[in-house]
């Protein structure tokens, strides 16, 4: 079985791929290549700060928190900021209501920050709504691939 981190990231990708946002199925996890104009709009998912762990019980159960960035990316236009906010809202609603994520994250999950980002260069300017999420869960310290 995959590490708990990977299970959560895969669930986030699955929820957003099936969610019917303007990105459709253009949802990428751990992507390193720059997005091309033909791939927009898109959602980029990546770890953001990694995983924090603390002992939860004396019986070897850890509470862990995984920080994840979700970027709702559009081509930059005169309405890009408003469009990115609407795109971000759709993503936020999907993640907040996900039963698949609830099944993995027994200690909850929440968005901690949302901000507008304009980047790119030349004729490839991108507008993005960047969301920071934290997913909290329990694992046995000796079995970090089994979510409790």
């Amino acid at each position: 079985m995959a590490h708990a981190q990977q299970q959560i990231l895969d669930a986030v990708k699955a929820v957003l791929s099936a969610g019917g946002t303007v990105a459709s199925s253009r949802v990428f996890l751990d992507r390193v290549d720059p997005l091309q104009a033909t791939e927009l709009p898109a959602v980029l998912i990546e770890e953001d700060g990694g995983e924090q762990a603390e002992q939860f019980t004396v019986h070897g159960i850890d509470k862990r928190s995984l920080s994840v960035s979700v970027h709702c990316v559009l081509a930059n236009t005169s309405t890009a900021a408003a469009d990115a906010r609407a795109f971000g809202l759709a993503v936020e609603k999907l993640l907040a209501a996900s039963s698949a994520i609830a099944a993995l994250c027994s200690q909850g999950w929440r968005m901690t920050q949302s901000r507008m980002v304009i980047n790119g260069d030349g004729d490839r300017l991108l507008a993005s709504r960047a969301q920071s999420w934290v997913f909290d869960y329990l694992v046995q310290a000796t079995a970090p691939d089994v979510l409790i």
Side-chain angles (χ1 to χ4, degrees):
M1 187 177 296
H3 194 286
Q5 298 165 354
Q6 190 65 47
Q7 293 177 55
I8 292 167
L9 291 166
D10 289 343
V12 170
K13 181 180 179 186
V15 166
L16 296 179
S17 293
T21 68
V22 296
S24 187
S25 63
R26 292 178 303 276
V27 178
F28 305 100
L29 175 59
D30 299 328
R31 183 180 173 120
V32 294
D33 298 326
L35 286 168
Q36 301 304 310
T38 57
E39 297 175 302
L40 299 175
V43 175
L44 301 178
I45 303 162
E46 60 189 1
E47 274 192 61
D48 180 26
E51 180 185 57
Q52 304 295 317
E54 62 183 79
Q55 185 177 6
F56 191 69
T57 70
V58 294
H59 304 292
I61 295 177
D62 288 348
K63 178 180 178 184
R64 298 192 179 186
S65 298
L66 178 65
S67 298
V68 175
S69 287
V70 177
H71 301 269
C72 308
V73 186
L74 302 163
N76 193 14
T77 65
S78 61
T79 63
D83 294 343
R85 284 186 196 99
F87 189 4
L89 176 62
V91 164
E92 184 176 350
K93 286 181 176 182
L94 287 169
L95 292 179
S98 172
S99 59
I101 293 172
L104 298 172
C105 298
S106 63
Q107 301 300 293
W109 67 101
R110 66 205 171 280
M111 187 176 69
T112 59
Q113 183 183 29
S114 179
R115 66 191 182 286
M116 188 70 194
V117 178
I118 305 289
N119 62 20
D121 44 49
D123 61 349
R124 223 173 46 79
L125 288 175
L126 304 175
S128 171
R129 192 75 191 165
Q131 298 176 348
S132 297
W133 288 81
V134 175
F135 299 88
D136 297 321
Y137 50 98
L138 300 176
V139 295
Q140 189 78 33
T142 57
D145 58 338
V146 180
L147 291 133
I148 301 172

